[in-house]
Amino acid sequence: MKEVILKSQISSYDTCAEFAKDFNLGGDDLVLTNEYIYNPYFGALGINANIIFQEDYGTGEPTDVMVDAILEAAAKTNCKRIIAIGGGTVIDIAKIMAVSAGESLDFLYDFPDKIEKKRGLVIVPTTCGTGSEVTNISIVNRTRLGTKVGLVSPHMYADDAVLLPELLKGLPFGVFATSSIDALVHAVESSLSPKATPYTKLFGYKAIEMIIRGYQKIEEEGKDARLPIMKEFLIASNYAGIAFGTAGCAAVHATSYPLGGTYHVAHGESNYAMFTGVLKNYMEIRQDGEIAVMNQFLAKLLGCGLEVVYDKLDDLLGTILPKKPLHEYGVKPEDLEVFTKSVMERQGRLMANNFVPLDEPRVLKIYKELF
């Protein structure tokens, strides 16, 4: 059994200039980023690299159409290394760029065994949520299928993951909220996974503690209380990434993908919509084992009894981001069976990591309860 998988070297720098100098960014590199990130932090550094601004190819989370267009542009640069500086969209696309020398996204999905590393990959996250800088998965909305689907390969790990808290200074509170909640979900799901190990739980439970303590500080002192502790949120996200990179995520992510893919709900927010609903259904099936450990841990952090731990967790998260029922995202009653079918047919990789098995009637029940 694999105890922990960590194939990326992790570095941190106080400034973007230090990072650019130490990694010798130059003409053989292709920087995939956003203009609003690159110009204020890297624009004056005189970096002689190829630049692609992700937003020139579409907005929102990555779609197959967006990715294929960027792959085509990247193939014209003859670059040897991809430098991803951004949030989840940029990171997911960059991982695919590192394993494509002109092959389309559909080809990579259809022939995952033929995926090989074609370029070096350096990932610099600019949010505190994905943890994707240390994982080998890319999530793309496959528009022809109407859902998000993960592409996974051992060749999609970054060679280097770089933590630069300076880049989080201007992170809007809404993006901070959805991304950090995403990290919390990563930490909880990976710790409950049958693939969890003492090593992954070491990182997962520590990430949970750091994120909840940070939220409690924000609840007490206001939104600006996050600013001095953004480095801690960035590290917590990285810890959660290490945890789920080995142990995996599960039903929260699986059930969130049809919501995000159909109604374009941000990834962290769609996870949040499903989060405690899935946990409560786990508890209806089984109350002992790791979920009992998790609930005791959460109850201690939240200062509450075990019987109300998920309600108290929702209350705390609600101070960071108000929770909405599914119908407020535009979900229709007839969508629920469609979503359920999609989860059961297309998200087997994630559903295999559930704390307890969830069958089709149970998944539909979760959707109906959260509707």
Side-chain angles (χ1 to χ4, degrees), residues 128-129 175-186 211 215 268-269 271-273 275 317-318 320-321:
C128 49
V175 179
F176 159 78
T178 58
S179 64
S180 57
I181 289 174
D182 189 25
L184 179 63
V185 173
H186 291 157
I211 293 167
Y215 285 167
E269 187 168 358
N271 276 337
Y272 176 36
F275 185 27
L317 298 183
I320 305 300
L321 182 69

Side-chain angles (χ1 to χ4, degrees), residues 240-253:
I242 293 170
F244 89 82
T246 302
C249 292
V252 177
H253 276 71

Side-chain angles (χ1 to χ4, degrees), residues 23-98:
F23 274 74
N24 193 29
L25 302 188
D28 288 334
D29 295 320
L30 192 164
V31 178
L32 178 69
T33 187
N34 302 106
E35 189 169 8
Y36 67 85
I37 293 171
Y38 188 82
N39 286 344
Y41 292 104
F42 293 92
L45 299 182
I47 297 171
N48 180 31
N50 303 281
I51 310 291
I52 289 180
F53 293 130
Q54 171 259 312
E55 63 268 30
D56 290 343
Y57 296 83
T59 58
E61 296 181 347
T63 67
D64 42 16
V65 176
M66 182 194 304
V67 172
D68 278 336
I70 291 176
L71 290 178
E72 184 178 346
K76 298 175 182 177
T77 68
N78 295 316
C79 65
K80 296 178 180 178
R81 186 170 63 169
I82 304 295
I83 313 293
I85 305 171
T89 294
V90 164
I91 293 172
D92 281 351
I93 296 171
K95 290 179 182 178
I96 298 169
M97 294 167 70

Side-chain angles (χ1 to χ4, degrees), residues 287-310:
Q287 295 79 42
D288 63 343
E290 194 63 38
I291 202 162
V293 177
M294 175 65 68
N295 291 348
Q296 289 174 350
F297 186 77
L298 291 172
K300 185 176 180 181
L301 286 172
L302 297 168
C304 68
L306 289 170
E307 69 281 359
V308 295
V309 68
Y310 297 144

Side-chain angles (χ1 to χ4, degrees), residues 62-65 105-110 139-151 261 346:
T63 67
D64 42 16
V65 176
L105 183 65
D106 283 345
F107 176 87
L108 297 174
Y109 271 107
D110 290 342
I139 306 296
V140 176
N141 185 1
R142 300 191 70 182
T143 57
R144 289 176 288 277
L145 298 179
T147 190
K148 297 179 182 180
V149 183
L151 181 66
R346 295 174 179 159

